[in-house]
Amino acid sequence: MEKKLPLEGLKVLDFTIALAGPFTAWQLADMGAEVWKIERYGGGDQCRVWDPFLNDLGTMFVSYNKNKKSVEMNLAAPEGKAVIYEMAKQADVVIENFKSGSIDRLGLGYEKLKELNPKLVFISLSGFGASGPLMKLPCYDAIAEARSGFAASNGDPEGPPMKAGNCIGDTITGLYGLNAVLMALIEARRTGKGCRIDMSMMDVGMQACEETIMDFGLHGQAQARFGDHDRFTAPYGMFEARDGWCVIIADTEERWQALCGALGHPEWKDDPRFADNAARIAHKDDLVAAVTAATVRLRRAEIESRLLAADVPASAVLSFIEAYTSDHANQTELTQLVDQKKIGLMRFYSNPIRFDGETIPIRRGAPLLGEDTTGVLLDLGYSQAEIDKLYADGVVGASLI
């Protein structure tokens, strides 16, 4: 990318661990912000020791911490706090996701840091927010999905609740965090005053189920699980093919008529069970069975080509490796090769945001623990002698694990 990245010059003090907070910081780093990832002395982010591993590096940590700088720090030491105070004076953003109240007890909370830098944007990401009876409980992605009603709204009608296959509770919360930080930065530059942002994974999970509250308000009942098929439009969902699965969406009467012809079943047009969308919803089981009887004889590619030629939205359901190696992915710079310390060249997904058609570069892989401690301290104005003493006193480290 030849142009400057949009957040170059922005400095972020990142206390986050696990996934939701690191995701927000990672997005800021991708956009050019200098992210100082403050990691626990002697151990670092807990995500470093989560399976699976490659050459002793936790691959989950590697995925969510690219483009950042790691500073290994003993936050319990007064000298460590003093370093943080110097960093806060220069920072634009602080991100933390400790247990509720922990950062304040460390003497590093918003009320303290805003005395040093009134323009500071301070965001706290947690499972359940800064108030309420759940505020002190631990939370992970699956718990946020469980507590918010997200898991209960997913899955087959007669089956158990279902969590998302990937960490959707963490990543959506991370994106909301990014959005909040950017809005607060605009306000801080306009007024000269920062703010504290509070965000919970459970709240985000509940908003992801926005239509369920509409159902309850209108009909007095919670939304039922409806599996792989939509509850308002039919056919709209996943259908079995000869070699896997495909998605078919006939969301207008014109497309339904076209689908009947494309799949070789013009008689469906005159079937009273399928006369219009309301009838097809009322007889959805019969509809799914009929369409599946046709699609199961065809390969995914043939279903897709027939329906797309008839202007009916359709797609093969791709495995990860099929999506990863697809012509579209290869021709649109969807991935980049990055030299990751201790591993070597690795391929990562590019950030999906593009400015003026340019892919945002992954400038470096995830840092080793304390890899940037000395460099960051030098940039803050510490002398080499002062830095050496901090190392000798166990205030900072460079474990490089």
Side-chain angles (χ1 to χ4, degrees):
M1 189 170 188
E2 296 180 1
K3 297 190 306 183
K4 287 182 64 176
L5 291 165
L7 297 183
E8 281 188 33
L10 193 79
K11 291 183 171 60
V12 178
L13 187 49
D14 173 20
F15 292 106
T16 63
I17 56 175
L19 295 185
F23 191 92
T24 297
W26 169 32
Q27 299 306 298
L28 294 168
D30 268 9
M31 301 300 165
E34 182 175 358
V35 175
W36 301 320
K37 183 173 179 66
I38 308 302
E39 298 200 65
R40 179 171 53 86
Y41 186 85
D45 186 339
Q46 67 188 59
C47 192
R48 285 187 179 274
V49 297
W50 287 355
D51 286 328
F53 290 93
L54 184 58
N55 290 355
D56 297 324
L57 280 182
T59 56
M60 184 77 80
F61 178 86
V62 170
S63 297
Y64 284 78
N65 288 280
K66 298 181 291 292
N67 289 332
K68 302 179 186 179
K69 295 181 177 180
S70 173
V71 178
E72 187 178 353
M73 181 84 66
N74 181 355
L75 294 178
E79 299 89 343
K81 292 183 177 64
V83 174
I84 295 298
Y85 295 152
E86 291 303 313
M87 300 176 92
K89 292 175 185 177
Q90 297 188 28
D92 301 282
V93 178
V94 174
I95 311 176
E96 66 92 10
N97 65 343
F98 295 160
K99 287 184 179 179
S100 182
S102 296
I103 194 112
D104 297 298
R105 289 190 291 274
L106 280 170
L108 303 173
Y110 176 62
E111 294 303 323
K112 174 60 180 180
L113 298 189
K114 78 173 183 179
E115 295 175 3
L116 307 171
N117 183 351
K119 292 179 67 175
L120 203 58
V121 170
F122 190 109
I123 181 167
S124 295
L125 298 163
S126 63
F128 304 108
S131 61
L134 303 179
M135 62 180 286
K136 293 188 181 298
L137 295 184
C139 187
Y140 288 85
D141 178 88
I143 291 174
E145 292 187 40
R147 287 275 190 181
S148 65
F150 184 95
S153 66
N154 286 284
D156 292 325
E158 304 304 320
M162 183 178 293
K163 71 175 288 295
N166 290 297
C167 299
I168 199 76
D170 284 307
T171 54
I172 294 180
T173 301
L175 287 173
Y176 267 90
L178 171 67
N179 190 34
V181 165
L182 295 177
M183 289 189 290
L185 283 169
I186 293 171
E187 179 71 2
R189 291 182 177 181
R190 186 177 67 84
T191 65
K193 294 181 179 179
C195 66
R196 179 166 192 169
I197 303 164
D198 177 46
M199 184 175 300
S200 88
M201 292 172 65
M202 190 182 82
D203 289 357
V204 171
M206 294 182 82
Q207 188 164 62
C209 305
E210 179 71 22
E211 61 189 271
T212 61
I213 196 170
M214 292 290 293
D215 281 350
F216 189 77
L218 290 172
H219 307 297
Q221 61 186 21
Q223 170 184 309
R225 292 190 293 277
F226 46 93
D228 288 333
H229 295 274
D230 193 73
R231 59 204 174 112
F232 297 127
T233 303
Y236 187 126
M238 293 191 185
F239 294 85
E240 189 174 0
R242 183 177 172 185
D243 60 344
W245 295 83
C246 61
V247 168
I248 298 173
I249 299 173
D251 55 343
T252 66
E253 291 307 315
E254 292 78 12
R255 284 175 168 163
W256 165 247
Q257 299 283 322
L259 178 149
C260 296
L263 292 182
H265 286 275
E267 73 277 9
W268 289 346
K269 299 177 185 179
D270 301 318
D271 191 318
R273 297 172 300 169
F274 310 147
D276 55 23
N277 187 64
R280 293 192 293 274
I281 287 292
H283 299 90
K284 186 162 60 176
D285 289 347
D286 292 343
L287 175 71
V288 170
V291 175
T292 299
T295 59
V296 78
R297 299 173 180 272
L298 305 172
R299 294 189 180 278
R300 294 174 299 166
E302 186 175 358
I303 297 168
E304 189 176 290
S305 62
R306 284 191 188 190
L307 292 177
L308 291 178
D311 193 34
V312 178
S315 173
V317 175
L318 301 183
S319 67
F320 161 75
I321 196 65
E322 288 175 315
Y324 181 73
T325 59
S326 67
D327 289 342
H328 184 82
N330 287 327
Q331 293 176 28
T332 56
E333 297 182 87
L334 196 142
T335 63
Q336 297 178 47
L337 276 173
V338 179
D339 190 4
Q340 173 62 50
K341 295 279 182 69
K342 295 181 74 174
I343 294 177
L345 287 177
M346 293 187 70
R347 191 167 288 279
F348 294 104
Y349 284 122
S350 301
N351 194 296
I353 300 173
R354 300 186 182 203
F355 295 96
D356 293 325
E358 293 191 43
T359 301
I360 294 170
I362 302 175
R363 304 179 302 284
R364 62 181 286 184
L368 303 181
L369 178 56
E371 179 180 341
D372 305 287
T373 300
T374 297
V376 170
L377 291 174
L378 287 170
D379 290 343
L380 287 170
Y382 285 83
S383 69
Q384 189 61 56
E386 291 172 318
I387 295 171
D388 290 343
K389 187 173 190 309
L390 289 171
Y391 275 107
D393 292 342
V395 177
V396 301
S399 296
L400 300 182
I401 57 175

mmCIF file of all heavy atoms in Angstrom, residues 277-322:
data_model
loop_
_atom_site.group_PDB
_atom_site.id
_atom_site.type_symbol
_atom_site.label_atom_id
_atom_site.label_comp_id
_atom_site.label_asym_id
_atom_site.label_seq_id
_atom_site.Cartn_x
_atom_site.Cartn_y
_atom_site.Cartn_z
ATOM 1 N N ASN A 277 -45.353 -17.734 -1.561
ATOM 2 C CA ASN A 277 -44.407 -17.876 -0.440
ATOM 3 C C ASN A 277 -45.113 -18.328 0.835
ATOM 4 O O ASN A 277 -44.595 -19.173 1.572
ATOM 5 C CB ASN A 277 -43.666 -16.554 -0.200
ATOM 6 C CG ASN A 277 -42.575 -16.707 0.839
ATOM 7 O OD1 ASN A 277 -41.606 -17.434 0.638
ATOM 8 N ND2 ASN A 277 -42.728 -16.035 1.974
ATOM 9 N N ALA A 278 -46.303 -17.785 1.100
ATOM 10 C CA ALA A 278 -47.027 -18.184 2.320
ATOM 11 C C ALA A 278 -47.339 -19.678 2.299
ATOM 12 O O ALA A 278 -47.207 -20.378 3.315
ATOM 13 C CB ALA A 278 -48.314 -17.372 2.452
ATOM 14 N N ALA A 279 -47.750 -20.190 1.136
ATOM 15 C CA ALA A 279 -48.044 -21.615 1.026
ATOM 16 C C ALA A 279 -46.772 -22.449 1.180
ATOM 17 O O ALA A 279 -46.784 -23.510 1.823
ATOM 18 C CB ALA A 279 -48.702 -21.905 -0.326
ATOM 19 N N ARG A 280 -45.682 -21.967 0.607
ATOM 20 C CA ARG A 280 -44.432 -22.722 0.716
ATOM 21 C C ARG A 280 -43.919 -22.745 2.145
ATOM 22 O O ARG A 280 -43.348 -23.748 2.599
ATOM 23 C CB ARG A 280 -43.383 -22.128 -0.238
ATOM 24 C CG ARG A 280 -43.735 -22.314 -1.710
ATOM 25 C CD ARG A 280 -42.569 -22.000 -2.633
ATOM 26 N NE ARG A 280 -42.185 -20.607 -2.630
ATOM 27 C CZ ARG A 280 -42.734 -19.650 -3.384
ATOM 28 N NH1 ARG A 280 -43.743 -19.947 -4.209
ATOM 29 N NH2 ARG A 280 -42.299 -18.409 -3.330
ATOM 30 N N ILE A 281 -44.104 -21.664 2.898
ATOM 31 C CA ILE A 281 -43.719 -21.655 4.313
ATOM 32 C C ILE A 281 -44.601 -22.628 5.089
ATOM 33 O O ILE A 281 -44.120 -23.393 5.950
ATOM 34 C CB ILE A 281 -43.833 -20.227 4.897
ATOM 35 C CG1 ILE A 281 -42.698 -19.339 4.370
ATOM 36 C CG2 ILE A 281 -43.815 -20.259 6.419
ATOM 37 C CD1 ILE A 281 -41.315 -19.717 4.860
ATOM 38 N N ALA A 282 -45.888 -22.636 4.792
ATOM 39 C CA ALA A 282 -46.807 -23.528 5.498
ATOM 40 C C ALA A 282 -46.497 -25.000 5.218
ATOM 41 O O ALA A 282 -46.776 -25.875 6.056
ATOM 42 C CB ALA A 282 -48.250 -23.219 5.100
ATOM 43 N N HIS A 283 -45.930 -25.262 4.066
ATOM 44 C CA HIS A 283 -45.594 -26.640 3.676
ATOM 45 C C HIS A 283 -44.089 -26.773 3.466
ATOM 46 O O HIS A 283 -43.641 -27.454 2.539
ATOM 47 C CB HIS A 283 -46.354 -27.028 2.400
ATOM 48 C CG HIS A 283 -47.839 -26.996 2.532
ATOM 49 N ND1 HIS A 283 -48.586 -25.864 2.255
ATOM 50 C CD2 HIS A 283 -48.728 -27.955 2.954
ATOM 51 C CE1 HIS A 283 -49.866 -26.131 2.473
ATOM 52 N NE2 HIS A 283 -49.990 -27.382 2.904
ATOM 53 N N LYS A 284 -43.321 -26.148 4.351
ATOM 54 C CA LYS A 284 -41.879 -26.087 4.150
ATOM 55 C C LYS A 284 -41.241 -27.468 4.149
ATOM 56 O O LYS A 284 -40.322 -27.729 3.364
ATOM 57 C CB LYS A 284 -41.223 -25.185 5.204
ATOM 58 C CG LYS A 284 -39.739 -24.960 4.950
ATOM 59 C CD LYS A 284 -39.196 -23.747 5.705
ATOM 60 C CE LYS A 284 -39.353 -23.856 7.174
ATOM 61 N NZ LYS A 284 -38.725 -22.701 7.890
ATOM 62 N N ASP A 285 -41.679 -28.349 5.009
ATOM 63 C CA ASP A 285 -41.084 -29.692 5.033
ATOM 64 C C ASP A 285 -41.272 -30.395 3.692
ATOM 65 O O ASP A 285 -40.350 -31.049 3.180
ATOM 66 C CB ASP A 285 -41.690 -30.527 6.156
ATOM 67 C CG ASP A 285 -41.247 -30.070 7.539
ATOM 68 O OD1 ASP A 285 -40.288 -29.278 7.612
ATOM 69 O OD2 ASP A 285 -41.862 -30.493 8.536
ATOM 70 N N ASP A 286 -42.472 -30.270 3.115
ATOM 71 C CA ASP A 286 -42.730 -30.880 1.803
ATOM 72 C C ASP A 286 -41.867 -30.227 0.729
ATOM 73 O O ASP A 286 -41.336 -30.911 -0.159
ATOM 74 C CB ASP A 286 -44.203 -30.729 1.421
ATOM 75 C CG ASP A 286 -45.123 -31.544 2.303
ATOM 76 O OD1 ASP A 286 -44.633 -32.463 2.993
ATOM 77 O OD2 ASP A 286 -46.334 -31.256 2.321
ATOM 78 N N LEU A 287 -41.726 -28.903 0.821
ATOM 79 C CA LEU A 287 -40.923 -28.173 -0.160
ATOM 80 C C LEU A 287 -39.459 -28.600 -0.099
ATOM 81 O O LEU A 287 -38.833 -28.883 -1.128
ATOM 82 C CB LEU A 287 -41.029 -26.669 0.085
ATOM 83 C CG LEU A 287 -40.147 -25.787 -0.794
ATOM 84 C CD1 LEU A 287 -40.658 -25.763 -2.222
ATOM 85 C CD2 LEU A 287 -40.047 -24.375 -0.232
ATOM 86 N N VAL A 288 -38.920 -28.634 1.107
ATOM 87 C CA VAL A 288 -37.508 -29.014 1.273
ATOM 88 C C VAL A 288 -37.282 -30.428 0.766
ATOM 89 O O VAL A 288 -36.284 -30.713 0.086
ATOM 90 C CB VAL A 288 -37.075 -28.864 2.745
ATOM 91 C CG1 VAL A 288 -35.703 -29.485 2.967
ATOM 92 C CG2 VAL A 288 -37.068 -27.401 3.153
ATOM 93 N N ALA A 289 -38.205 -31.315 1.054
ATOM 94 C CA ALA A 289 -38.066 -32.694 0.589
ATOM 95 C C ALA A 289 -38.090 -32.766 -0.930
ATOM 96 O O ALA A 289 -37.304 -33.507 -1.546
ATOM 97 C CB ALA A 289 -39.179 -33.556 1.184
ATOM 98 N N ALA A 290 -38.984 -32.002 -1.569
ATOM 99 C CA ALA A 290 -39.088 -32.023 -3.028
ATOM 100 C C ALA A 290 -37.840 -31.455 -3.686
ATOM 101 O O ALA A 290 -37.292 -32.049 -4.631
ATOM 102 C CB ALA A 290 -40.325 -31.240 -3.467
ATOM 103 N N VAL A 291 -37.393 -30.311 -3.206
ATOM 104 C CA VAL A 291 -36.202 -29.690 -3.798
ATOM 105 C C VAL A 291 -34.975 -30.565 -3.556
ATOM 106 O O VAL A 291 -34.139 -30.746 -4.443
ATOM 107 C CB VAL A 291 -35.994 -28.258 -3.246
ATOM 108 C CG1 VAL A 291 -34.691 -27.663 -3.775
ATOM 109 C CG2 VAL A 291 -37.171 -27.365 -3.631
ATOM 110 N N THR A 292 -34.872 -31.135 -2.369
ATOM 111 C CA THR A 292 -33.718 -31.997 -2.066
ATOM 112 C C THR A 292 -33.698 -33.229 -2.964
ATOM 113 O O THR A 292 -32.622 -33.678 -3.404
ATOM 114 C CB THR A 292 -33.740 -32.417 -0.588
ATOM 115 O OG1 THR A 292 -33.648 -31.246 0.232
ATOM 116 C CG2 THR A 292 -32.563 -33.339 -0.261
ATOM 117 N N ALA A 293 -34.877 -33.777 -3.260
ATOM 118 C CA ALA A 293 -34.929 -34.949 -4.155
ATOM 119 C C ALA A 293 -34.353 -34.621 -5.527
ATOM 120 O O ALA A 293 -33.801 -35.502 -6.205
ATOM 121 C CB ALA A 293 -36.368 -35.437 -4.287
ATOM 122 N N ALA A 294 -34.465 -33.348 -5.931
ATOM 123 C CA ALA A 294 -33.884 -32.924 -7.210
ATOM 124 C C ALA A 294 -32.399 -32.616 -7.071
ATOM 125 O O ALA A 294 -31.587 -33.032 -7.911
ATOM 126 C CB ALA A 294 -34.635 -31.706 -7.734
ATOM 127 N N THR A 295 -32.021 -31.894 -6.020
ATOM 128 C CA THR A 295 -30.625 -31.455 -5.909
ATOM 129 C C THR A 295 -29.678 -32.592 -5.559
ATOM 130 O O THR A 295 -28.508 -32.566 -5.942
ATOM 131 C CB THR A 295 -30.480 -30.344 -4.849
ATOM 132 O OG1 THR A 295 -30.938 -30.828 -3.566
ATOM 133 C CG2 THR A 295 -31.278 -29.112 -5.239
ATOM 134 N N VAL A 296 -30.169 -33.609 -4.845
ATOM 135 C CA VAL A 296 -29.284 -34.677 -4.387
ATOM 136 C C VAL A 296 -28.758 -35.511 -5.565
ATOM 137 O O VAL A 296 -27.784 -36.256 -5.433
ATOM 138 C CB VAL A 296 -30.002 -35.558 -3.349
ATOM 139 C CG1 VAL A 296 -30.974 -36.521 -4.031
ATOM 140 C CG2 VAL A 296 -28.998 -36.310 -2.494
ATOM 141 N N ARG A 297 -29.389 -35.368 -6.714
ATOM 142 C CA ARG A 297 -28.932 -36.079 -7.910
ATOM 143 C C ARG A 297 -27.873 -35.292 -8.673
ATOM 144 O O ARG A 297 -27.276 -35.818 -9.629
ATOM 145 C CB ARG A 297 -30.124 -36.339 -8.831
ATOM 146 C CG ARG A 297 -31.217 -37.195 -8.213
ATOM 147 C CD ARG A 297 -32.437 -37.270 -9.122
ATOM 148 N NE ARG A 297 -33.484 -38.095 -8.543
ATOM 149 C CZ ARG A 297 -33.589 -39.405 -8.707
ATOM 150 N NH1 ARG A 297 -32.684 -40.051 -9.441
ATOM 151 N NH2 ARG A 297 -34.563 -40.073 -8.150
ATOM 152 N N LEU A 298 -27.666 -34.027 -8.288
ATOM 153 C CA LEU A 298 -26.776 -33.138 -9.034
ATOM 154 C C LEU A 298 -25.558 -32.760 -8.192
ATOM 155 O O LEU A 298 -25.640 -32.673 -6.968
ATOM 156 C CB LEU A 298 -27.530 -31.861 -9.441
ATOM 157 C CG LEU A 298 -28.823 -32.046 -10.237
ATOM 158 C CD1 LEU A 298 -29.531 -30.708 -10.389
ATOM 159 C CD2 LEU A 298 -28.537 -32.670 -11.596
ATOM 160 N N ARG A 299 -24.469 -32.482 -8.876
ATOM 161 C CA ARG A 299 -23.286 -31.973 -8.185
ATOM 162 C C ARG A 299 -23.475 -30.485 -7.888
ATOM 163 O O ARG A 299 -24.252 -29.799 -8.542
ATOM 164 C CB ARG A 299 -22.023 -32.191 -9.029
ATOM 165 C CG ARG A 299 -21.682 -33.668 -9.203
ATOM 166 C CD ARG A 299 -20.326 -33.857 -9.850
ATOM 167 N NE ARG A 299 -20.033 -35.274 -10.010
ATOM 168 C CZ ARG A 299 -19.542 -36.061 -9.055
ATOM 169 N NH1 ARG A 299 -19.305 -35.559 -7.850
ATOM 170 N NH2 ARG A 299 -19.314 -37.339 -9.293
ATOM 171 N N ARG A 300 -22.739 -30.014 -6.886
ATOM 172 C CA ARG A 300 -22.876 -28.621 -6.464
ATOM 173 C C ARG A 300 -22.674 -27.656 -7.620
ATOM 174 O O ARG A 300 -23.413 -26.677 -7.768
ATOM 175 C CB ARG A 300 -21.874 -28.304 -5.351
ATOM 176 C CG ARG A 300 -22.110 -29.029 -4.045
ATOM 177 C CD ARG A 300 -20.990 -28.768 -3.054
ATOM 178 N NE ARG A 300 -19.713 -29.232 -3.566
ATOM 179 C CZ ARG A 300 -18.530 -28.911 -3.044
ATOM 180 N NH1 ARG A 300 -18.467 -28.110 -1.992
ATOM 181 N NH2 ARG A 300 -17.407 -29.385 -3.566
ATOM 182 N N ALA A 301 -21.641 -27.901 -8.420
ATOM 183 C CA ALA A 301 -21.325 -26.976 -9.520
ATOM 184 C C ALA A 301 -22.465 -26.900 -10.522
ATOM 185 O O ALA A 301 -22.757 -25.818 -11.067
ATOM 186 C CB ALA A 301 -20.041 -27.418 -10.212
ATOM 187 N N GLU A 302 -23.132 -28.028 -10.781
ATOM 188 C CA GLU A 302 -24.232 -28.018 -11.738
ATOM 189 C C GLU A 302 -25.440 -27.281 -11.174
ATOM 190 O O GLU A 302 -26.108 -26.515 -11.880
ATOM 191 C CB GLU A 302 -24.623 -29.440 -12.126
ATOM 192 C CG GLU A 302 -25.676 -29.474 -13.227
ATOM 193 C CD GLU A 302 -26.000 -30.871 -13.713
ATOM 194 O OE1 GLU A 302 -25.373 -31.845 -13.226
ATOM 195 O OE2 GLU A 302 -26.895 -30.995 -14.584
ATOM 196 N N ILE A 303 -25.736 -27.512 -9.901
ATOM 197 C CA ILE A 303 -26.836 -26.768 -9.262
ATOM 198 C C ILE A 303 -26.574 -25.275 -9.353
ATOM 199 O O ILE A 303 -27.450 -24.485 -9.747
ATOM 200 C CB ILE A 303 -26.993 -27.202 -7.792
ATOM 201 C CG1 ILE A 303 -27.381 -28.672 -7.693
ATOM 202 C CG2 ILE A 303 -28.017 -26.318 -7.084
ATOM 203 C CD1 ILE A 303 -27.263 -29.245 -6.288
ATOM 204 N N GLU A 304 -25.362 -24.900 -8.992
ATOM 205 C CA GLU A 304 -24.998 -23.489 -8.990
ATOM 206 C C GLU A 304 -25.118 -22.884 -10.399
ATOM 207 O O GLU A 304 -25.716 -21.816 -10.577
ATOM 208 C CB GLU A 304 -23.559 -23.348 -8.468
ATOM 209 C CG GLU A 304 -23.115 -21.929 -8.206
ATOM 210 C CD GLU A 304 -21.711 -21.894 -7.611
ATOM 211 O OE1 GLU A 304 -21.552 -22.300 -6.444
ATOM 212 O OE2 GLU A 304 -20.788 -21.472 -8.336
ATOM 213 N N SER A 305 -24.572 -23.576 -11.404
ATOM 214 C CA SER A 305 -24.588 -23.023 -12.760
ATOM 215 C C SER A 305 -26.004 -22.942 -13.320
ATOM 216 O O SER A 305 -26.377 -21.951 -13.962
ATOM 217 C CB SER A 305 -23.687 -23.834 -13.689
ATOM 218 O OG SER A 305 -24.161 -25.176 -13.799
ATOM 219 N N ARG A 306 -26.807 -23.981 -13.094
ATOM 220 C CA ARG A 306 -28.194 -23.949 -13.575
ATOM 221 C C ARG A 306 -28.976 -22.780 -12.976
ATOM 222 O O ARG A 306 -29.681 -22.046 -13.678
ATOM 223 C CB ARG A 306 -28.912 -25.255 -13.217
ATOM 224 C CG ARG A 306 -28.569 -26.455 -14.060
ATOM 225 C CD ARG A 306 -29.584 -27.546 -13.734
ATOM 226 N NE ARG A 306 -29.262 -28.834 -14.329
ATOM 227 C CZ ARG A 306 -30.100 -29.858 -14.343
ATOM 228 N NH1 ARG A 306 -31.310 -29.744 -13.788
ATOM 229 N NH2 ARG A 306 -29.759 -31.014 -14.894
ATOM 230 N N LEU A 307 -28.871 -22.647 -11.660
ATOM 231 C CA LEU A 307 -29.681 -21.630 -10.982
ATOM 232 C C LEU A 307 -29.182 -20.213 -11.269
ATOM 233 O O LEU A 307 -29.980 -19.297 -11.488
ATOM 234 C CB LEU A 307 -29.720 -21.908 -9.476
ATOM 235 C CG LEU A 307 -30.486 -23.177 -9.086
ATOM 236 C CD1 LEU A 307 -30.413 -23.397 -7.585
ATOM 237 C CD2 LEU A 307 -31.937 -23.107 -9.533
ATOM 238 N N LEU A 308 -27.881 -20.019 -11.265
ATOM 239 C CA LEU A 308 -27.369 -18.681 -11.561
ATOM 240 C C LEU A 308 -27.730 -18.255 -12.979
ATOM 241 O O LEU A 308 -28.018 -17.083 -13.233
ATOM 242 C CB LEU A 308 -25.851 -18.644 -11.349
ATOM 243 C CG LEU A 308 -25.373 -18.753 -9.897
ATOM 244 C CD1 LEU A 308 -23.851 -18.755 -9.827
ATOM 245 C CD2 LEU A 308 -25.936 -17.627 -9.038
ATOM 246 N N ALA A 309 -27.721 -19.211 -13.906
ATOM 247 C CA ALA A 309 -28.108 -18.891 -15.276
ATOM 248 C C ALA A 309 -29.567 -18.457 -15.355
ATOM 249 O O ALA A 309 -29.966 -17.695 -16.249
ATOM 250 C CB ALA A 309 -27.871 -20.099 -16.179
ATOM 251 N N ALA A 310 -30.380 -18.921 -14.398
ATOM 252 C CA ALA A 310 -31.793 -18.557 -14.342
ATOM 253 C C ALA A 310 -32.053 -17.371 -13.407
ATOM 254 O O ALA A 310 -33.210 -17.070 -13.095
ATOM 255 C CB ALA A 310 -32.618 -19.760 -13.886
ATOM 256 N N ASP A 311 -30.973 -16.716 -12.949
ATOM 257 C CA ASP A 311 -31.065 -15.564 -12.036
ATOM 258 C C ASP A 311 -31.644 -15.940 -10.677
ATOM 259 O O ASP A 311 -32.334 -15.152 -10.031
ATOM 260 C CB ASP A 311 -31.881 -14.421 -12.665
ATOM 261 C CG ASP A 311 -31.725 -13.116 -11.882
ATOM 262 O OD1 ASP A 311 -30.626 -12.882 -11.339
ATOM 263 O OD2 ASP A 311 -32.710 -12.338 -11.792
ATOM 264 N N VAL A 312 -31.332 -17.155 -10.229
ATOM 265 C CA VAL A 312 -31.701 -17.594 -8.877
ATOM 266 C C VAL A 312 -30.418 -17.645 -8.051
ATOM 267 O O VAL A 312 -29.500 -18.392 -8.393
ATOM 268 C CB VAL A 312 -32.362 -18.982 -8.898
ATOM 269 C CG1 VAL A 312 -32.695 -19.429 -7.469
ATOM 270 C CG2 VAL A 312 -33.616 -18.966 -9.760
ATOM 271 N N PRO A 313 -30.307 -16.854 -6.985
ATOM 272 C CA PRO A 313 -29.081 -16.880 -6.167
ATOM 273 C C PRO A 313 -28.799 -18.277 -5.632
ATOM 274 O O PRO A 313 -29.685 -18.934 -5.075
ATOM 275 C CB PRO A 313 -29.388 -15.899 -5.033
ATOM 276 C CG PRO A 313 -30.427 -14.981 -5.600
ATOM 277 C CD PRO A 313 -31.258 -15.845 -6.518
ATOM 278 N N ALA A 314 -27.563 -18.726 -5.819
ATOM 279 C CA ALA A 314 -27.184 -20.065 -5.364
ATOM 280 C C ALA A 314 -25.682 -20.128 -5.203
ATOM 281 O O ALA A 314 -24.937 -19.380 -5.845
ATOM 282 C CB ALA A 314 -27.656 -21.132 -6.356
ATOM 283 N N SER A 315 -25.232 -21.021 -4.334
ATOM 284 C CA SER A 315 -23.800 -21.209 -4.129
ATOM 285 C C SER A 315 -23.536 -22.589 -3.566
ATOM 286 O O SER A 315 -24.306 -23.081 -2.724
ATOM 287 C CB SER A 315 -23.238 -20.163 -3.157
ATOM 288 O OG SER A 315 -21.882 -20.445 -2.837
ATOM 289 N N ALA A 316 -22.443 -23.181 -4.007
ATOM 290 C CA ALA A 316 -21.954 -24.381 -3.337
ATOM 291 C C ALA A 316 -21.527 -24.005 -1.928
ATOM 292 O O ALA A 316 -21.035 -22.897 -1.687
ATOM 293 C CB ALA A 316 -20.773 -24.960 -4.110
ATOM 294 N N VAL A 317 -21.741 -24.907 -0.972
ATOM 295 C CA VAL A 317 -21.201 -24.727 0.368
ATOM 296 C C VAL A 317 -19.771 -25.263 0.333
ATOM 297 O O VAL A 317 -19.555 -26.457 0.129
ATOM 298 C CB VAL A 317 -22.042 -25.484 1.415
ATOM 299 C CG1 VAL A 317 -21.393 -25.374 2.796
ATOM 300 C CG2 VAL A 317 -23.460 -24.934 1.453
ATOM 301 N N LEU A 318 -18.806 -24.362 0.511
ATOM 302 C CA LEU A 318 -17.405 -24.718 0.377
ATOM 303 C C LEU A 318 -16.798 -25.095 1.725
ATOM 304 O O LEU A 318 -17.108 -24.467 2.747
ATOM 305 C CB LEU A 318 -16.607 -23.558 -0.217
ATOM 306 C CG LEU A 318 -17.037 -23.044 -1.595
ATOM 307 C CD1 LEU A 318 -16.092 -21.935 -2.055
ATOM 308 C CD2 LEU A 318 -17.080 -24.161 -2.615
ATOM 309 N N SER A 319 -15.947 -26.075 1.721
ATOM 310 C CA SER A 319 -15.126 -26.346 2.902
ATOM 311 C C SER A 319 -14.114 -25.218 3.048
ATOM 312 O O SER A 319 -13.900 -24.415 2.122
ATOM 313 C CB SER A 319 -14.387 -27.670 2.738
ATOM 314 O OG SER A 319 -13.421 -27.566 1.690
ATOM 315 N N PHE A 320 -13.469 -25.169 4.219
ATOM 316 C CA PHE A 320 -12.468 -24.132 4.418
ATOM 317 C C PHE A 320 -11.409 -24.172 3.325
ATOM 318 O O PHE A 320 -11.064 -23.152 2.734
ATOM 319 C CB PHE A 320 -11.787 -24.291 5.781
ATOM 320 C CG PHE A 320 -10.466 -23.575 5.861
ATOM 321 C CD1 PHE A 320 -10.414 -22.201 5.978
ATOM 322 C CD2 PHE A 320 -9.273 -24.277 5.756
ATOM 323 C CE1 PHE A 320 -9.206 -21.530 6.017
ATOM 324 C CE2 PHE A 320 -8.058 -23.617 5.797
ATOM 325 C CZ PHE A 320 -8.021 -22.242 5.929
ATOM 326 N N ILE A 321 -10.888 -25.350 3.022
ATOM 327 C CA ILE A 321 -9.784 -25.429 2.072
ATOM 328 C C ILE A 321 -10.256 -25.069 0.673
ATOM 329 O O ILE A 321 -9.510 -24.484 -0.123
ATOM 330 C CB ILE A 321 -9.104 -26.819 2.112
ATOM 331 C CG1 ILE A 321 -7.733 -26.762 1.425
ATOM 332 C CG2 ILE A 321 -9.979 -27.879 1.510
ATOM 333 C CD1 ILE A 321 -6.720 -25.879 2.121
ATOM 334 N N GLU A 322 -11.504 -25.378 0.335
ATOM 335 C CA GLU A 322 -12.037 -24.983 -0.975
ATOM 336 C C GLU A 322 -12.153 -23.464 -1.081
ATOM 337 O O GLU A 322 -11.834 -22.883 -2.126
ATOM 338 C CB GLU A 322 -13.404 -25.626 -1.198
ATOM 339 C CG GLU A 322 -13.352 -27.118 -1.464
ATOM 340 C CD GLU A 322 -14.734 -27.726 -1.563
ATOM 341 O OE1 GLU A 322 -15.595 -27.407 -0.705
ATOM 342 O OE2 GLU A 322 -14.952 -28.518 -2.490
#
